[in-house]
Amino acid sequence: MSKRRRLGLILVLLSGGLSVLWGCFLGFSIAGGPLDFQAVYYGARTLIHHQNPYNVNDLEAVFQSDGVDHSSLNQKQHQVIAFFINTPATLFLVAPFAMLPLAAGQVLWMCLTAGSLILAAYLMWTIGADHAPILTGCLIGFLLLNCQVIFASGNSAAIVVGLSVVAVWCFVKERFVPAGIVCMAISLAMKPHDAGLVWLFLLLAGGTLRKRAMQTAILAALLIVPAVLWVSDVVPNWVHDWQSNLATTSVPGALNDPSPAAVNTVSAGNIISLQAVFSIFSRNPRFYNLASYAVCGAFLIVWAFVTFRSRTSDQRTWFALAVAVPFTILVTYHRVYDAKLLLLTVPACAMLWEEGGAVGTIAVALNAMGIFLNADVPLTVLGEITQKLQLSTASLTGKILTVLIARPNQEILLAMGIFYLWVYVRHGIPDTGEGLEGRATQERHYQVT
């Protein structure tokens, strides 16, 4: 291993280790330990006891039976544990942890959380290091160094993101494919809004990747169906209760409200989808949801068409994923910890940097800003600044200033998505139907140009 690769790897591993230690210290300082893990742990535990995890009273009764005191929690923290909004598949997959004592379940969960995300970071480093080892190490290292919130909360996004990234590496490298199928299936079952566009790319890309997508879908169904049957058997009206919890946590000022009225509007755990931008101009969910879908949908249609009509290569796979990730985060509800999916954009950035020129410089600038503005520490500092500024959204000027100052992460993610879409289209190879020989000629032509 060269000195440059060794230095890049040290940055990745050291950053990951420091973040895990810091996050665990913060998480276990809260009553009962990491809150997001408590939510899924006691949700599954409630179901195991044949009670309704989507019912606040049933869920809190299980908390009380275990002697967990949440009287010191604030409004946001209480909503995290009181209103269960996870899918039945999450309950099904967390059930083995819920059968253990809380302390043992927490330790195993934190090991899985940290292990999956750090493994994913390492695998992305191995791809990027072939092109720019120091740059890759710096980008991934900074991303890992700012994972305190996800480790402190024990949020399942770390596992979902980590397993999604591991699966992509397995499929592209064609190594440990069965493990990759299991990883992607678990990600889809737990949080389809995180892994969905990544899976869609595999489906549209054709060839072996499409085969992996179908295999993943079958396994995901085998996880989801028994989970739904289990929950339905215990709680026949769970869908109504689940929707009620979603509505309760989305009202103005609640935990999942993307508007400026939300609890902790600017923080290291805030909502970073485009809804948080459009809600500044109108707090009507119909407006900000449709506006987000329209903006992201327009670009994703182009991305899907190019993917379907082009021949896939390793390089184009990374370019395609660099498009999918920003729009995955922007199109619907996501928080900062979901932005760790930006790991999948680093190989494309390293490849463009190796090519040199203005395109490589822009790629590095956008990736660096995208990771920086969606990192825990910078967002915490930004939150303090915006609170002191006391930005007003009463006028159009105030709304624009609020978007520019308090919502820079959405803006940079949109810029990343558009830039990598341009790169992806620019490197596209049209499917002319001329057969393998014609495609090979086209590939040689694009490699020369």
Side-chain angles (χ1 to χ4, degrees), residues 350-380:
M351 291 173 184
L352 292 176
W353 176 251
E354 184 184 38
E355 291 181 6
V359 174
T361 302
I362 294 172
V364 172
L366 288 175
N367 265 75
M369 290 300 294
I371 291 173
F372 179 83
L373 290 175
N374 287 282
D376 296 354
V377 175
L379 275 181
T380 300

Side-chain angles (χ1 to χ4, degrees), residues 317-352:
T317 292
W318 297 117
F319 289 161
L321 292 170
V323 180
V325 167
F327 287 115
T328 290
I329 298 169
L330 291 172
V331 71
T332 189
Y333 168 82
H334 284 95
R335 293 186 179 273
V336 172
Y337 30 71
D338 298 298
K340 308 313 174 188
L341 200 59
L342 288 171
L343 281 170
L344 283 172
T345 68
V346 174
C349 177
M351 291 173 184
L352 292 176

Side-chain angles (χ1 to χ4, degrees), residues 135-423:
L135 171 66
T136 302
C138 288
L139 291 176
I140 294 179
F142 190 81
L143 184 148
L144 283 181
L145 194 59
N146 285 270
C147 288
Q148 298 83 28
V149 171
I150 200 169
F151 291 139
S153 64
N155 191 276
S156 59
I159 296 174
V160 171
V161 168
L163 295 183
S164 297
V165 174
V166 170
V168 170
W169 183 89
C170 291
F171 297 156
V172 173
K173 289 294 187 178
E174 296 186 355
R175 298 179 62 187
F176 309 108
V177 171
I181 294 170
V182 172
C183 289
M184 183 59 75
I186 292 174
S187 297
L188 277 176
M190 292 183 70
K191 288 197 171 187
H193 61 297
D194 274 352
L197 283 182
V198 175
W199 178 84
L200 180 60
F201 164 74
L202 300 175
L203 183 67
L204 294 175
T208 303
L209 293 180
R210 180 173 295 167
K211 179 181 178 181
R212 303 302 175 223
M214 298 304 297
Q215 292 169 332
T216 296
I218 293 171
L219 183 56
L222 293 176
L223 293 174
I224 294 171
V225 171
V228 172
L229 292 176
W230 180 32
V231 175
S232 300
D233 179 61
V234 177
V235 189
N237 62 335
W238 72 269
V239 175
H240 175 270
D241 294 338
W242 178 54
Q243 291 174 338
S244 177
N245 286 349
L246 288 172
T248 301
T249 56
S250 300
V251 299
L255 177 66
N256 296 330
D257 174 26
S259 77
V263 180
N264 290 343
T265 300
V266 180
S267 72
N270 69 330
I271 294 175
I272 58 173
S273 59
L274 272 183
Q275 283 87 343
V277 172
F278 287 117
S279 65
I280 293 174
F281 298 94
S282 173
R283 297 185 184 181
N284 184 340
R286 181 175 298 178
F287 167 77
Y288 59 67
N289 284 326
L290 288 178
S292 301
Y293 300 153
V295 171
C296 295
F299 294 110
L300 286 173
I301 288 172
V302 177
W303 170 81
F305 178 80
V306 174
T307 300
F308 186 73
R309 295 291 296 171
S310 301
R311 185 170 176 80
T312 302
S313 66
D314 284 359
Q315 185 188 58
R316 283 181 47 73
T317 292
W318 297 117
F319 289 161
L321 292 170
V323 180
V325 167
F327 287 115
T328 290
I329 298 169
L330 291 172
V331 71
T332 189
Y333 168 82
H334 284 95
R335 293 186 179 273
V336 172
Y337 30 71
D338 298 298
K340 308 313 174 188
L341 200 59
L342 288 171
L343 281 170
L344 283 172
T345 68
V346 174
C349 177
M351 291 173 184
L352 292 176
W353 176 251
E354 184 184 38
E355 291 181 6
V359 174
T361 302
I362 294 172
V364 172
L366 288 175
N367 265 75
M369 290 300 294
I371 291 173
F372 179 83
L373 290 175
N374 287 282
D376 296 354
V377 175
L379 275 181
T380 300
V381 174
L382 177 63
E384 295 295 327
I385 294 173
T386 53
Q387 286 179 6
K388 291 179 179 179
L389 291 176
Q390 295 183 345
L391 299 170
S392 173
T393 58
S395 64
L396 179 60
T397 301
K399 292 176 180 179
I400 294 173
L401 285 175
T402 301
V403 170
L404 294 176
I405 297 173
R407 298 289 187 270
N409 36 6
Q410 287 93 336
E411 298 161 31
I412 198 67
L413 287 172
L414 183 59
M416 283 181 66
I418 295 172
F419 168 76
Y420 278 114
L421 180 61
W422 172 76
V423 171

